[in-house]
Amino acid sequence: MYPAELVKPMREDLTKVGFEELHTAEAVETALAKEGTTLVVVNSVCGCAAANARPGARMSLQNAKKPDNIVTVFAGVDKNAVDAARAHMVPFPPSSPSMALFKNGELVHMLERHHIEGRPAELIAENLVDAYNEHC
């Protein structure tokens, strides 16, 4: 597990734009049971999360259509929450960072680490915006 002081700025990178942090499996289940669309960002300390994933997620929210709910879980910190979120992302293997869009609890779009790593934040945002325009 990572120290709280290390991950605090990484958490705030998303919470300052409205993402709700989920710390328990129960919170994940409640979030995914909501009607409408929910974006789940599996946050991470890895460099591609800072350089690409978090900025891409933030940029994607500038779109006219966006998810009804935006939430995040932190890999290496909130194990039960991350495990619960990943259970809903099957058949995709666990990866962090990653992003999943759900509609009425059903997975409709997935960005795995290999879709994020090495790609600019703008491309990640564009990928998410396309999913929002289709599902939100």
Side-chain angles (χ1 to χ4, degrees):
M1 294 299 194
Y2 297 105
E5 60 275 4
L6 172 72
V7 300
K8 184 177 188 256
M10 297 173 201
R11 289 181 185 273
E12 290 173 349
D13 209 7
L14 294 177
T15 59
K16 70 182 177 187
V17 296
F19 279 83
E20 176 188 0
E21 284 186 303
L22 306 178
H23 301 285
T24 66
E26 295 78 17
V28 169
E29 298 304 326
T30 299
L32 293 180
K34 292 180 181 177
E35 286 193 34
T37 51
T38 302
L39 176 66
V40 178
V41 173
V42 179
N43 203 347
S44 168
V45 299
C46 82
C48 64
N52 311 79
R54 290 190 298 267
R58 288 192 321 268
M59 280 187 240
S60 75
L61 300 177
Q62 302 307 309
N63 191 50
K65 288 186 175 184
K66 53 189 159 203
D68 300 309
N69 310 290
I70 52 175
V71 301
T72 182
V73 295
F74 209 109
V77 178
D78 298 316
K79 182 179 178 356
N80 292 336
V82 172
D83 288 349
R86 286 178 172 160
H88 289 274
M89 297 174 189
V90 171
F92 298 96
S95 67
S96 58
S98 61
M99 302 177 202
L101 183 65
F102 294 86
K103 186 170 187 173
N104 298 323
E106 179 185 338
L107 179 64
V108 294
H109 188 75
M110 184 74 191
L111 275 171
E112 298 174 82
R113 180 185 176 121
H114 69 88
H115 297 122
I116 295 168
E117 194 171 30
R119 290 179 173 74
E122 294 82 6
L123 189 60
I124 294 162
E126 183 180 310
N127 182 299
L128 290 171
V129 163
D130 288 346
Y132 302 164
N133 289 339
E134 181 177 348
H135 300 288
C136 296

